[in-house]
Amino acid sequence: MGKIITIANQKGGVGKTTTAINLAACLAVLEYKTLLIDADPQGNATSGVGVDPRTIKGGLYECTIQQSNAKPYILKTDTPHLDVLPTNADLAGLEIELVNLNQREQMMKRVLQPLKDEYDFIIMDCCPSLGLIVINSLCAADSVLIPVQCEYFALEGMGQLLQTVKFVQTHLNTQLDIEGVLLTMFDGRLRLANQVVEEVKMHFQDMVFDTIIQRLTKLAEAPSFGKPSSCTMPQVKDLPII
Amino acid sequence: MHDASGKGSTNYLNLARELLQRNGLTKFTTRGKSKPEPPEELNENGI
């Protein structure tokens, strides 16, 4: 049975999509069957693995609103072991359409639960909000990974996000765990970045991943090629742990 | 062009490995995929 990990932070530009794409790609490179789910109407995770959101015949929106099988909408990517459940701008309408439905928080869970038998890991990229789409993804997930940017407002909104996670854990998904806090966009030349690392580690202690994602131009450029930075080259498996 | 052997890949590969460790999937085979550690009371042969 696979594990659903949702990447969430209501703050924008903290590295959610980059993390979702590259973590999914690395798990796939390590030969774990992985599904990347794009739960952001901007569709950047979709295009980031080489699928044009304008050309898809359906995706997360369709299967969620129809409560239908998601498999027909899942696409293979160029990376072996990595599939994507794409999305396009239609997903923005889901937020409004769910409002009047019973058990609106569980709509994605019912669709995604059967996929856990098909994949080792399911990585969900969320939009920067705490709306119904994100609540749905937290309800469907086994754990949440929280990227935090190593910048001045790093901890802004973290309290609200953790309150939301606690609310979901208490009322909607008692199995939801916090996978960890991931520091992103770290520039070791900046004193501020080092201070943020210290502060986040002081607040969240063991919850913080030892791995810190550095601010790199090539990471930012990779989506323009429609491929994860951590693409399919076999030697990536043999890279040393730094 | 895609930085497959650069720092960006290394960062996320390390994250993937750390995540696998946190989930009890720590031993890497030659093919890359890790396997769950056997319970403590069993030896390497599962006895």
Side-chain angles (χ1 to χ4, degrees):
Chain A
M1 171 90 47
K3 182 171 191 179
I4 302 181
I5 301 173
T6 193
I7 316 284
N9 190 336
Q10 81 273 30
K11 194 164 162 24
V14 298
K16 287 185 290 295
T17 302
T18 305
T19 298
I21 292 171
N22 286 290
L23 176 60
C26 282
L27 289 168
V29 166
L30 292 169
E31 298 182 3
Y32 286 88
K33 200 172 176 205
T34 305
L35 175 67
L36 174 66
I37 298 179
D38 192 350
D40 184 343
Q42 294 177 86
N44 291 336
T46 301
S47 53
V49 291
V51 176
D52 185 346
R54 294 167 301 182
T55 62
I56 60 170
K57 291 179 178 163
L60 183 61
Y61 168 77
E62 282 75 10
C63 57
T64 303
I65 205 70
Q66 295 162 6
Q67 290 289 281
S68 62
N69 188 354
K71 278 189 202 173
Y73 300 111
I74 292 175
L75 304 172
K76 293 211 170 296
T77 71
D78 289 342
T79 306
H81 310 296
L82 179 62
D83 293 346
V84 62
L85 177 55
T87 202
N88 57 24
D90 291 347
L91 188 71
L94 187 67
E95 197 91 33
I96 298 161
E97 291 179 55
L98 287 178
V99 167
N100 293 319
L101 300 179
N102 284 332
Q103 293 199 308
R104 52 188 171 268
E105 303 91 354
Q106 309 288 351
M107 300 288 278
M108 271 186 203
K109 182 175 188 168
R110 284 196 285 267
V111 171
L112 301 182
Q113 207 65 18
L115 299 176
K116 289 172 74 172
D117 294 329
E118 309 282 329
Y119 293 92
D120 296 316
F121 287 98
I122 298 175
I123 307 293
M124 287 185 84
D125 177 36
C126 284
C127 47
S129 82
L130 287 176
L132 263 176
I133 293 174
V134 176
I135 298 290
N136 260 271
S137 72
L138 290 171
C139 287
D142 296 297
S143 67
V144 55
L145 190 156
I146 304 169
V148 173
Q149 191 184 6
C150 296
E151 300 271 334
Y152 182 67
F153 291 116
L155 295 175
E156 185 193 1
M158 279 291 279
Q160 199 185 353
L161 175 62
L162 292 173
Q163 269 184 0
T164 304
V165 170
K166 195 157 190 172
F167 177 85
V168 172
Q169 285 172 324
T170 308
H171 299 286
L172 299 168
N173 179 7
T174 54
Q175 306 300 311
L176 181 67
D177 200 3
I178 296 180
E179 192 71 44
V181 174
L182 176 68
L183 289 157
T184 63
M185 302 184 189
F186 175 74
D187 186 342
R189 296 168 299 180
L190 304 176
R191 189 185 301 167
L192 174 66
N194 290 292
Q195 285 171 345
V196 169
V197 170
E198 280 177 30
E199 195 174 344
V200 169
K201 284 187 172 174
M202 193 177 70
H203 271 85
F204 298 103
Q205 299 178 357
D206 290 346
M207 280 166 60
V208 184
F209 283 101
D210 293 332
T211 305
I212 295 177
I213 307 301
Q214 288 161 298
R215 183 187 288 281
L216 296 165
T217 310
K218 286 193 174 178
L219 271 179
E221 285 175 349
S224 66
F225 304 116
K227 282 189 177 180
S229 167
S230 324
C231 69
T232 55
M233 290 173 71
Q235 66 265 31
V236 85
K237 283 185 291 190
D238 305 323
L239 286 171
I241 298 172
I242 296 171
Chain B
M1 287 293 273
H2 305 303
D3 193 31
S5 58
K7 280 183 181 173
S9 300
T10 312
N11 282 179
Y12 280 106
L13 193 66
N14 287 340
L15 175 65
R17 285 173 167 157
E18 194 179 345
L19 189 140
L20 292 171
Q21 270 185 342
R22 286 185 176 206
N23 285 277
L25 301 162
T26 53
K27 289 194 172 175
F28 289 85
T29 68
T30 51
R31 287 173 58 79
K33 191 165 181 172
S34 59
K35 289 180 175 176
E37 279 191 277
E40 277 181 15
E41 62 268 22
L42 301 180
N43 65 22
E44 285 180 351
N45 297 319
I47 299 167

